[in-house]
Coordinates of all heavy atoms in Angstrom, one line a residue:
T238 N 159.5 91.0 81.2 CA 158.8 89.8 81.6 C 159.1 89.2 83.0 O 158.4 88.5 83.6 CB 158.5 88.9 80.5 OG1 159.7 88.3 80.2 CG2 158.0 89.5 79.2
N239 N 160.6 89.3 83.1 CA 161.1 88.6 84.3 C 162.2 89.2 85.0 O 162.7 88.9 86.1 CB 161.6 87.2 83.9 CG 162.6 87.3 82.8 OD1 163.3 88.4 82.6 ND2 162.6 86.3 81.9
G240 N 162.5 90.4 84.6 CA 163.5 91.3 85.2 C 164.9 90.9 84.9 O 165.9 91.4 85.5
N241 N 165.1 89.9 84.2 CA 166.5 89.5 83.8 C 167.2 90.6 83.0 O 166.8 91.3 82.3 CB 166.5 88.3 82.9 CG 166.2 87.1 83.7 OD1 166.0 87.0 84.9 ND2 165.7 85.9 83.1
R242 N 168.5 90.8 83.4 CA 169.5 91.5 82.7 C 170.0 90.9 81.5 O 170.6 89.9 81.7 CB 170.6 92.0 83.6 CG 170.2 93.2 84.6 CD 169.3 92.9 85.6 NE 169.3 93.9 86.6 CZ 168.2 94.3 87.3 NH1 167.0 93.8 87.0 NH2 168.3 95.4 88.2
V243 N 170.0 91.5 80.4 CA 170.5 90.8 79.2 C 171.4 91.9 78.5 O 171.0 93.0 78.1 CB 169.4 90.3 78.2 CG1 169.9 89.5 77.0 CG2 168.5 89.5 79.1
I244 N 172.6 91.5 78.0 CA 173.6 92.2 77.2 C 173.5 91.8 75.8 O 173.5 90.5 75.5 CB 174.9 92.3 77.7 CG1 175.0 92.7 79.1 CG2 175.9 93.0 76.8 CD1 176.5 92.7 79.6
F245 N 173.3 92.7 74.8 CA 173.4 92.4 73.3 C 174.7 93.0 72.8 O 174.9 94.3 73.1 CB 172.2 92.9 72.7 CG 170.9 92.3 72.9 CD1 170.2 92.7 74.0 CD2 170.5 91.3 72.1 CE1 169.0 92.1 74.3 CE2 169.2 90.7 72.3 CZ 168.5 91.1 73.4
N246 N 175.6 92.2 72.2 CA 176.7 92.9 71.6 C 176.3 93.3 70.3 O 175.2 93.1 69.8 CB 178.1 91.9 71.6 CG 177.7 90.7 70.8 OD1 177.0 90.7 69.9 ND2 178.3 89.5 71.2
N247 N 177.3 93.9 69.6 CA 176.8 94.5 68.3 C 176.4 93.4 67.3 O 175.3 93.7 66.7 CB 178.1 95.1 67.6 CG 177.8 95.9 66.3 OD1 177.5 95.3 65.3 ND2 177.8 97.3 66.4
K248 N 176.9 92.3 67.2 CA 176.5 91.1 66.3 C 175.0 90.7 66.7 O 174.3 90.5 65.9 CB 177.4 90.1 66.3 CG 177.1 89.0 65.4 CD 178.3 88.0 65.4 CE 177.9 86.8 64.5 NZ 179.0 85.8 64.4
D249 N 174.8 90.6 68.0 CA 173.5 90.2 68.6 C 172.4 91.0 68.2 O 171.2 90.6 68.1 CB 173.5 90.0 70.2 CG 174.5 89.2 70.7 OD1 174.7 88.0 70.0 OD2 175.0 89.3 71.9
C250 N 172.7 92.4 68.0 CA 171.7 93.4 67.6 C 171.1 93.1 66.1 O 170.0 93.6 65.9 CB 172.1 94.7 67.7 SG 172.5 95.2 69.5
H251 N 171.7 92.4 65.3 CA 171.4 92.1 64.0 C 171.0 93.5 63.3 O 169.8 93.5 62.7 CB 170.1 91.2 63.9 CG 170.5 89.8 64.5 ND1 171.1 88.8 63.7 CD2 170.3 89.1 65.5 CE1 171.4 87.8 64.3 NE2 170.7 88.0 65.5
F252 N 171.8 94.4 63.3 CA 171.6 95.6 62.6 C 171.4 95.6 61.2 O 172.2 94.7 60.6 CB 172.8 96.7 63.0 CG 172.7 97.1 64.4 CD1 173.8 96.9 65.2 CD2 171.6 97.8 64.9 CE1 173.9 97.3 66.5 CE2 171.6 98.3 66.3 CZ 172.7 98.1 67.1
A253 N 170.4 96.3 60.6 CA 170.2 96.5 59.1 C 169.8 97.8 58.9 O 169.7 98.5 59.9 CB 169.4 95.3 58.7
Y254 N 169.6 98.1 57.7 CA 169.0 99.5 57.4 C 167.8 99.8 58.0 O 166.8 99.2 57.8 CB 168.9 99.6 55.7 CG 168.3 101.0 55.3 CD1 169.0 102.2 55.7 CD2 167.2 101.0 54.7 CE1 168.5 103.3 55.3 CE2 166.7 102.3 54.3 CZ 167.4 103.4 54.6 OH 166.9 104.7 54.1
R255 N 168.0 100.8 59.0 CA 166.8 101.2 59.9 C 166.0 100.2 60.5 O 164.9 100.1 60.7 CB 165.8 102.1 59.1 CG 166.4 103.2 58.3 CD 166.8 104.3 59.3 NE 167.5 105.3 58.6 CZ 168.8 105.5 58.3 NH1 169.6 104.5 58.5 NH2 169.2 106.5 57.6
D256 N 166.9 99.1 60.9 CA 166.3 97.9 61.5 C 167.3 97.3 62.6 O 168.5 97.6 62.5 CB 166.0 96.9 60.5 CG 165.1 95.7 61.0 OD1 164.4 96.0 62.0 OD2 165.1 94.7 60.4
S257 N 166.8 96.6 63.5 CA 167.5 95.8 64.5 C 166.6 94.9 65.1 O 165.5 94.7 64.8 CB 168.0 96.9 65.6 OG 166.9 97.1 66.4
I258 N 167.2 93.9 66.0 CA 166.4 92.9 66.6 C 165.5 93.4 67.6 O 164.5 92.8 67.8 CB 167.5 91.9 67.4 CG1 166.8 90.6 67.8 CG2 168.1 92.6 68.6 CD1 167.7 89.7 68.4
F259 N 165.6 94.6 68.0 CA 164.6 95.1 69.0 C 163.3 95.7 68.3 O 162.4 96.0 69.0 CB 165.3 96.4 69.6 CG 166.7 96.1 70.4 CD1 167.8 96.6 69.8 CD2 166.7 95.2 71.5 CE1 169.1 96.1 70.5 CE2 167.8 94.9 72.0 CZ 169.0 95.4 71.5
K260 N 163.3 95.7 67.0 CA 161.9 96.1 66.3 C 161.1 95.0 66.1 O 160.0 95.2 65.8 CB 162.3 96.8 65.0 CG 163.0 98.1 65.1 CD 163.1 98.7 63.8 CE 161.8 99.3 63.1 NZ 162.0 100.0 61.9
R261 N 161.7 93.7 66.4 CA 160.8 92.5 66.2 C 159.8 92.4 67.3 O 160.2 92.6 68.4 CB 161.7 91.3 66.0 CG 162.6 91.4 64.8 CD 163.5 90.3 64.8 NE 164.7 90.4 63.7 CZ 165.6 89.7 63.5 NH1 165.9 88.6 64.4 NH2 166.5 89.9 62.6
E262 N 158.6 91.9 67.0 CA 157.5 91.9 68.1 C 158.0 91.1 69.4 O 157.7 91.7 70.5 CB 156.4 91.3 67.5 CG 155.0 91.5 68.2 CD 154.8 93.2 68.4 OE1 155.0 93.8 67.4 OE2 154.3 93.4 69.4
E263 N 158.7 90.0 69.1 CA 159.0 89.1 70.2 C 160.0 89.7 71.1 O 160.3 89.3 72.2 CB 159.4 87.8 69.8 CG 160.6 87.8 68.9 CD 160.6 87.9 67.5 OE1 159.4 88.5 67.0 OE2 161.4 87.6 66.6
N264 N 160.8 90.7 70.6 CA 161.8 91.3 71.3 C 161.6 92.8 71.9 O 162.4 93.4 72.4 CB 163.1 91.5 70.5 CG 163.7 90.0 70.1 OD1 163.7 89.3 71.0 ND2 164.1 89.8 68.8
K265 N 160.3 93.2 71.7 CA 159.8 94.5 72.3 C 159.7 94.3 73.7 O 159.4 95.4 74.3 CB 158.6 94.8 71.6 CG 158.9 95.2 70.2 CD 157.5 95.7 69.5 CE 157.8 96.1 68.0 NZ 156.6 96.6 67.4
K266 N 160.1 93.2 74.4 CA 160.0 93.1 75.9 C 161.3 93.6 76.5 O 161.3 93.8 77.7 CB 159.9 91.5 76.2 CG 161.0 90.8 75.8 CD 160.9 89.2 76.1 CE 161.9 88.4 75.7 NZ 161.8 86.9 75.9
Y267 N 162.3 94.0 75.6 CA 163.6 94.3 76.1 C 163.6 95.8 76.4 O 163.3 96.6 75.4 CB 164.8 94.0 75.3 CG 164.9 92.6 75.3 CD1 164.8 91.7 74.1 CD2 165.3 91.8 76.5 CE1 164.9 90.3 74.1 CE2 165.5 90.5 76.4 CZ 165.4 89.7 75.2 OH 165.5 88.4 75.2
F268 N 163.7 96.3 77.6 CA 163.8 97.8 77.9 C 165.3 98.1 77.9 O 166.1 97.7 78.7 CB 163.2 98.0 79.4 CG 163.2 99.4 79.8 CD1 162.3 100.3 79.7 CD2 164.5 99.9 80.4 CE1 162.2 101.6 80.0 CE2 164.5 101.2 80.9 CZ 163.3 102.0 80.8
I269 N 165.7 99.1 77.0 CA 167.1 99.4 76.9 C 167.4 100.4 78.0 O 166.8 101.5 78.1 CB 167.3 100.0 75.6 CG1 167.1 99.0 74.2 CG2 168.7 100.6 75.4 CD1 167.3 99.5 73.0
V270 N 168.5 99.9 78.6 CA 168.9 100.7 79.9 C 170.1 101.6 79.5 O 170.1 102.8 79.8 CB 169.4 99.8 81.0 CG1 170.0 100.5 82.2 CG2 168.1 98.9 81.5
A271 N 171.1 101.1 78.8 CA 172.2 102.0 78.6 C 172.9 101.4 77.2 O 172.6 100.1 76.9 CB 173.1 102.0 79.7
I272 N 173.8 102.2 76.8 CA 174.4 101.8 75.5 C 175.9 102.1 75.5 O 176.2 103.2 76.0 CB 173.8 102.3 74.1 CG1 172.4 102.1 74.0 CG2 174.6 101.9 72.9 CD1 171.7 102.9 73.2
D273 N 176.8 101.2 75.1 CA 178.2 101.5 75.2 C 178.6 101.9 73.6 O 178.3 101.1 72.7 CB 179.1 100.3 75.4 CG 179.2 100.1 76.9 OD1 178.8 101.0 77.6 OD2 179.8 99.1 77.4
F274 N 179.0 103.0 73.5 CA 179.4 103.6 72.1 C 180.9 103.5 72.0 O 181.7 103.9 72.9 CB 179.0 104.9 71.9 CG 177.6 105.1 71.9 CD1 176.8 105.3 72.9 CD2 176.9 105.0 70.6 CE1 175.4 105.5 72.9 CE2 175.5 105.2 70.6 CZ 174.7 105.3 71.6
K275 N 181.5 102.9 71.0 CA 183.0 102.8 70.9 C 183.3 103.9 69.8 O 183.0 103.9 68.6 CB 183.3 101.5 70.3 CG 184.9 101.2 70.2 CD 185.2 99.7 69.9 CE 186.6 99.5 70.0 NZ 186.9 98.1 69.5
L276 N 184.0 105.0 70.3 CA 184.3 106.2 69.6 C 185.8 106.5 69.4 O 186.5 106.1 70.2 CB 183.7 107.5 70.2 CG 182.0 107.4 70.4 CD1 181.6 108.7 71.1 CD2 181.4 107.1 69.1
R277 N 186.2 107.0 68.2 CA 187.5 107.1 68.0 C 188.2 108.5 68.5 O 187.4 109.6 68.6 CB 187.7 107.1 66.5 CG 187.1 105.9 65.8 CD 187.5 105.9 64.3 NE 187.0 107.1 63.6 CZ 185.8 107.1 63.1 NH1 184.9 106.0 63.2 NH2 185.5 108.2 62.5
K278 N 189.4 108.5 69.0 CA 190.0 109.6 69.4 C 190.4 110.4 68.2 O 190.6 111.6 68.3 CB 191.3 109.2 70.2 CG 191.0 108.4 71.4 CD 192.4 108.2 72.1 CE 192.2 107.3 73.3 NZ 193.4 107.0 74.0
E279 N 190.7 109.8 67.0 CA 191.1 110.5 65.8 C 190.3 109.8 64.7 O 190.0 108.6 64.9 CB 192.6 110.4 65.5 CG 193.5 111.2 66.6 CD 194.8 111.2 66.2 OE1 195.1 110.5 65.1 OE2 195.6 111.7 66.9
G280 N 190.0 110.5 63.7 CA 189.1 109.7 62.7 C 189.1 110.5 61.3 O 189.3 111.8 61.3
K281 N 188.7 109.7 60.3 CA 188.5 110.4 59.1 C 187.1 110.9 59.0 O 186.2 110.1 59.2 CB 188.8 109.4 57.9 CG 188.7 110.0 56.5 CD 189.1 108.9 55.5 CE 188.9 109.6 54.1 NZ 189.3 108.6 53.0

C-alpha cells in the first residue's frame, strides 16, 4: 500500500499450527521478499 519495508521477527509472525500473521486479511498487504532461516551445523 505504501512501499514501506517491514521486518517481522519470529515472534512478530505469531506462528501457530498452519497459521501466521500473514494469513490475516489485514496483513495480506505484505509482500514477502526474503526469509532468514536459522539452521544448525549439527543437530538431532
Side-chain angles (χ1 to χ4, degrees):
T238 64
N239 54 29
N241 287 346
R242 276 67 165 147
V243 184
I244 296 177
F245 292 82
N246 62 33
N247 187 287
K248 185 177 179 181
D249 294 332
C250 294
H251 296 284
F252 288 121
Y254 176 60
R255 301 300 177 269
D256 194 23
S257 75
I258 195 171
F259 304 109
K260 289 184 74 172
R261 299 174 190 172
E262 196 62 39
E263 66 272 18
N264 293 319
K265 291 182 179 179
K266 63 182 180 179
Y267 292 113
F268 181 95
I269 294 177
V270 172
I272 303 161
D273 280 355
F274 294 89
K275 194 173 182 179
L276 303 179
R277 302 186 302 275
K278 297 179 183 178
E279 297 179 357
K281 184 178 180 181

